[in-house]
Each structure stands twice: as structure tokens, then as C-alpha cells.
Amino acid sequence: MSLPALNLAIVGLGNVGTGVARILTEHPERIVRRAGRPVAIKKAVVRDLTKPRDVQLPAGVLTADLDSVIKDPEITVAVELMGGLHPAREVVLALLAAGKDVVTANKALLHEYGDEIFAAAREHGRTIAFEAAVAGGIPIIAAVGQSMSANQIVGLQAILNGTSNYILSEMLLHQKSYQSALSQAQALGYAEADPSLDVNGTDAAQKLGILVQLAFGTKVPTAAFHVSGIDKLEQTDIQQATALGYAIKLLATAKLVDGKLQMSVRPTLVRKDRPLAQTHGPFNAVLLDGDVVGSVWYSGRGAGQLPTASAVTADIIDLAIGRAQLTFKQLDLWGESSAVPVLPESETYSRYFMRLIVEDRPHVMADVTDILGRNNISLSSVIQPEAPEVEATAGVAQVVPLIIMTHRATTGQIASADAELAKLSTVRPGRVLLAVAD
Ligand code: NAP
Ligand code: HSE
């Protein structure tokens, strides 16, 4: 015999919200079996009531009136799937104040207003569940917040943005242009409403921040670590990396170095034979290193309607059965004193790939390597593809690509060398500087 239904509101019935409504309405027996009671969608809040929806809901469920949720005491759980910061922040605070537990997939909101929202949940004795906010369908919040809790996580390497990974895969496997791959990612529902958040690294950085808070107890703003995206990459970078035996991935990393956190999100060359390099399309992957268990690997669809809805629905079931409080409590258990300091960006280190466009004339290579040498950067390889022999035209310099792989250097050393390279008249603007994963 099951308990009375859990009455639910979905606030935002777009890509993900529709997926959640579809799972709940298409698999009612499964939900009862897992949640111990039916889950009934009482309201679904949208902006535009005239828009066609890909899910059939009973009359009266679809509404543009958020108050009909806030003021209904029978609705005990609300799912925020509007996205963005405002009015999502105000909506979530109002839902908590009205005594509802909240499920959200909104990493931007948690990153920006997490402290305020978690405090409000505590004040009102409610829970926030956010499995879908990081890595879509991969149960990574449960893994880091609960399943790995016997460990101190000492490092993580992850692909956390499905849109960027889809674009990089299309550029590599189907020679698509950056722009057409981005348009496809938008059409497939992977991208944020503002896709610049995907391609400039912000979305992955927000997700890394959430994982780091769970794993290390430290809340790190995105401004405190290096964040760059795939938006400056060209087909030639993908090809040069391939020729060197690497794939380019937007990699989010965090690791403990002498008691400090080294964190970054940036396009990174990963050796082709590593599973991270073979993670394609909208898939995400997370490699965790725990001091007890060793390495643990998670992979799955990180964006898209049903994979994300799978994680949201699991949170709803957890709330119905009383399991969702666990991760939230875990956040509470970290005190201020356990926070791990973040290594300043200039002291973080990596190997690097540099692509320069240089004038094809005597002494250019010597000038470039001199700058790197004076900054104590050691080179591991230098490639300048052979250029055709052409007659010199007065005033017009022939240019060629110059690909340099370095040994480990700090970000400070690389930045200083790059600033000097920028002043060389023989080096063209548009230098590409990518990290190389160990
Ligand atoms: P979406 O397709 O743009 O849907 C947003 C929904 O919210 C729409 O139904 C929209 O109404 C509604 N909405 C927006 N502003 C509103 C307002 N002021 N009042 C009432 N309703 C409002 O977004 P999505 O792709 O489903 O993403 C939702 C959330 O999930 C975001 O936080 C996103 O970051 C996160 N997420 C998405 C994915 C993914 O693969 N897409 C994966 C993981 C997490 P209308 O339909 O009437 O316009
Ligand atoms: N826009 C996000 C991505 C959705 O592409 O990864 C999943 O959070």
C-alpha cells in the first residue's frame, strides 16, 4: 500500500522541465515503486501559456501564476527549471519560505547565490537537491557528497560542459566549423539560454565550484582561478593537437598541492589514448582520486533533456522517500576552519602547447626561443611545418605556424613570456596557448 501522492510543482517547463514531466507521466508505476508513493504534477509554471508543449498535462496544471504554487500548502516539493539568476533566486527563496523543498538544476544560481539559498533552506527547515546541476545524468553529486565520504578527494579531472564537448567532437570527428557545431548544440537543447556561458568556460567553472565545495569544503568564486573556454579555438588547433597525439578537451581540474587547491577550467591537450580524450559528444566524464579508494571514473550524458531529467527525477524520488537531505547535510558539516586555501593562479603549473603565427624570416625562431628561455621555460618540442619557397615581395612577409610544446612551467612564467612575445613584430596577434594534461 503506497502513501498519499507527493504533490509537485515544476517551475519552468522548457527542455528539462518537459523531460521531468514526461518521465513522471510515462512511468507512474516505476515512480511508485521507487518513491513509495505516486508523484502528482499539480502545477507547471511557464511564461508563455500559448507555446506548444511536448507533454500532455491535465487541464489546469499549466499556469503562468507562480502564486498558485506558493499559496498551495498541498504542494510540498517544487522543481526550479527556469534557469538564469533572476527571477530564479527570488522564486527559490519564496518557495522555501512557503515551506517547500526545492529541486534545481541551476548551477549558475547555486554558484552565485548558494550561500543565501542554503541558509534560507536551513532557516525554513527545508532541503535543496541539485544532482542535475553538475554533469547532467551522471550521479556525481551523490558520488562526491555521499559515496566517496570515507575519502579525502585529492584530485579531480573532468569534462563538465556538454555543449563544448559536443562542439570539440564535431570539429574533430566531422571537421565541422565551430559556428555550425555550436548551432547544432543549441538545436539539440544542450546549450544554456546564453550559450556564451558554455563556450567561455563559465558553466564548467560554476560546476567545478560546486564539486569543490562538496569535496574540499571550500567555496571558490570563479574569479579565484583560471577560467577560459573553447571560443578562440580553430580547426587548425584541433588538427595540430591530433598530429601530436592529443585531443583538445575543455578540462576542469582541482587537485591538492601541498595543502592548497590548484584549480582551473581551460581547453587542454589530453593524450588520445586516455578515456577523457575519448569522451565525445554531449558526454561528460569525471575522474576522482580518493586517498582510500584510488581512482574512480564516471561518464555519461552531461546535457540534454532526458539525461538531465533523469537526475532531477531521482532528486524528486529522494525527497519523497526521505533521502535527499543527505547531501545538503554534508554541506553543513564543513566548518569555515576546514576550508582549503586556493593556490594563486600565477603559481599553478602545467605543460603548455603554443601556436604562434610568425614571419618566415631569419632569427624569428631564435627570438621566440630566447624569450621562452629567459623565462626559464624549457621546450619539449618545436614544429614549424615546411613552407613553400616563394619569391620575397617587398613589404609583404610570408607567415608560417610555429607549434611549441613546453615542459612544466608556472602560469606566471607563461604569462610573462606571452607578454614579451606579444611585443615581437614578427609574431602575429592571435597566439593560442593551451595547457597539456599530465
Ligand atoms: P529552457 O528550455 O530555456 O526552459 C526554461 C523554462 O522556464 C521555460 O519553460 C520558460 O517558460 C520558463 N521560464 C523562464 N523564465 C520564467 C519566468 N520568469 N516565469 C515563468 N517561467 C519562466 O531551459 P532548460 O534547458 O530546460 O534549462 C533549465 C535549467 O536546467 C537551467 O538552469 C539549466 O542550466 C539547467 N540544465 C540544463 C541542461 C540541459 O541540457 N538543457 C542540463 C543540466 C542543467 P516558457 O516555456 O513559457 O518560455
Ligand atoms: N549547457 C550545459 C552543458 C547543460 O552544455 O553542459 C548541462 O549543464
Side-chain angles (χ1 to χ4, degrees):
M1 199 186 68
S2 62
L3 296 166
L6 179 151
N7 289 314
L8 179 80
I10 301 178
V11 184
L13 196 69
N15 190 26
V16 181
T18 300
V20 174
R22 280 182 51 198
I23 296 175
L24 292 174
T25 53
E26 289 170 17
H27 302 285
E29 302 85 9
R30 184 188 303 172
I31 302 298
V32 174
R33 255 196 326 273
R34 306 290 158 79
R37 52 179 152 155
V39 173
I41 304 173
K42 249 194 129 187
K43 292 286 171 198
V45 184
V46 295
R47 262 178 312 211
D48 179 356
L49 287 170
T50 65
K51 234 189 222 180
R53 307 280 160 186
D54 286 339
V55 63
Q56 288 282 347
L57 293 172
V61 168
L62 202 66
T63 177
D65 176 19
L66 180 71
D67 268 356
S68 66
V69 174
I70 304 275
K71 292 191 175 140
D72 184 342
E74 287 185 355
I75 296 177
T76 54
V77 176
V79 185
E80 182 278 307
L81 293 169
M82 311 160 81
L85 296 179
H86 303 284
R89 168 185 165 272
E90 293 71 24
V91 167
V92 167
L93 292 175
L95 290 166
L96 290 168
K100 299 170 200 319
D101 291 319
V102 172
V103 176
T104 182
N106 192 336
K107 55 273 161 161
L109 181 72
L110 292 178
H111 178 268
E112 197 63 32
Y113 295 114
D115 285 348
E116 182 186 17
I117 287 171
F118 291 132
R122 273 177 219 116
E123 183 192 336
H124 299 294
R126 304 311 338 146
T127 289
I128 313 271
F130 49 95
E131 183 57 73
V134 182
I138 305 176
I140 198 66
I141 297 295
V144 176
Q146 296 167 37
S147 316
M148 297 276 287
S149 52
N151 292 261
Q152 173 55 58
I153 290 172
V154 291
L156 76 87
Q157 279 188 315
I159 294 170
L160 294 176
N161 186 261
T163 300
S164 297
N165 204 52
Y166 178 83
I167 293 171
L168 291 173
S169 303
E170 290 296 299
M171 289 173 80
L172 171 70
L173 303 174
H174 306 295
Q175 288 73 49
K176 290 261 166 65
S177 71
Y178 170 86
Q179 203 49 54
S180 82
L182 171 58
S183 304
Q184 270 180 300
Q186 289 179 280
L188 290 164
Y190 304 148
E192 296 302 303
D194 171 4
S196 66
L197 298 173
D198 291 296
V199 295
N200 70 14
T202 303
D203 176 81
Q206 291 167 341
K207 292 168 176 166
L208 180 65
I210 294 171
L211 290 184
V212 161
Q213 194 172 359
L214 280 172
F216 302 98
T218 303
K219 178 136 176 38
V220 187
T222 52
F225 58 98
H226 177 97
V227 179
S228 55
I230 64 161
D231 45 358
K232 308 273 182 324
L233 292 181
E234 294 174 17
Q235 186 55 249
T236 178
D237 299 309
I238 310 274
Q239 283 164 16
Q240 297 289 358
T242 305
L244 288 162
Y246 294 88
I248 300 179
K249 292 292 172 191
L250 183 66
L251 215 60
T253 60
K255 68 175 169 184
L256 279 179
V257 179
D258 299 331
K260 291 188 179 159
L261 260 178
Q262 168 161 326
M263 288 172 70
S264 64
V265 169
R266 57 184 162 195
T268 303
L269 272 70
V270 181
R271 280 198 188 283
K272 265 190 230 168
D273 56 1
R274 290 192 55 196
L276 277 167
Q278 292 161 11
T279 299
H280 292 306
F283 278 69
N284 282 187
V286 185
L287 178 63
L288 296 173
D289 268 318
D291 64 349
V292 183
V293 69
S295 293
V296 184
W297 168 257
Y298 295 85
S299 132
R301 290 179 191 276
Q305 181 175 88
L306 287 176
T308 310
S310 159
V312 172
T313 309
D315 275 346
I316 297 168
I317 290 171
D318 278 358
L319 275 166
I321 209 159
R323 210 164 34 205
Q325 293 79 354
L326 296 178
T327 304
F328 186 59
K329 283 224 176 76
Q330 188 66 46
L331 277 176
D332 269 353
L333 296 177
W334 290 105
E336 284 294 313
S337 58
S338 55
V340 182
V342 180
L343 201 63
E345 187 185 335
S346 61
E347 292 174 34
T348 62
Y349 58 83
S350 176
R351 294 190 293 129
Y352 282 92
F353 160 101
M354 294 181 124
R355 177 171 64 80
L356 308 176
I357 303 292
V358 298
E359 291 185 9
D360 189 13
R361 62 169 68 184
H363 219 274
V364 172
M365 179 84 81
D367 291 341
V368 169
T369 54
D370 177 57
I371 287 176
L372 296 173
R374 278 191 289 98
N375 283 281
N376 215 17
I377 297 168
S378 168
L379 309 188
S380 100
S381 76
V382 179
I383 301 170
Q384 189 208 291
E386 192 179 19
E389 203 60 41
V390 290
E391 286 303 317
T393 314
V396 181
Q398 173 88 349
V399 292
V400 287
L402 181 59
I403 315 296
I404 297 173
M405 297 285 278
T406 77
H407 288 296
R408 275 187 188 193
T410 64
T411 308
Q413 285 170 280
I414 289 286
S416 153
D418 189 50
E420 286 190 55
L421 289 172
K423 290 185 194 144
L424 282 185
S425 62
T426 49
V427 175
R428 292 285 180 266
R431 302 170 308 285
V432 173
L433 196 55
L434 305 177
V436 181
D438 285 321

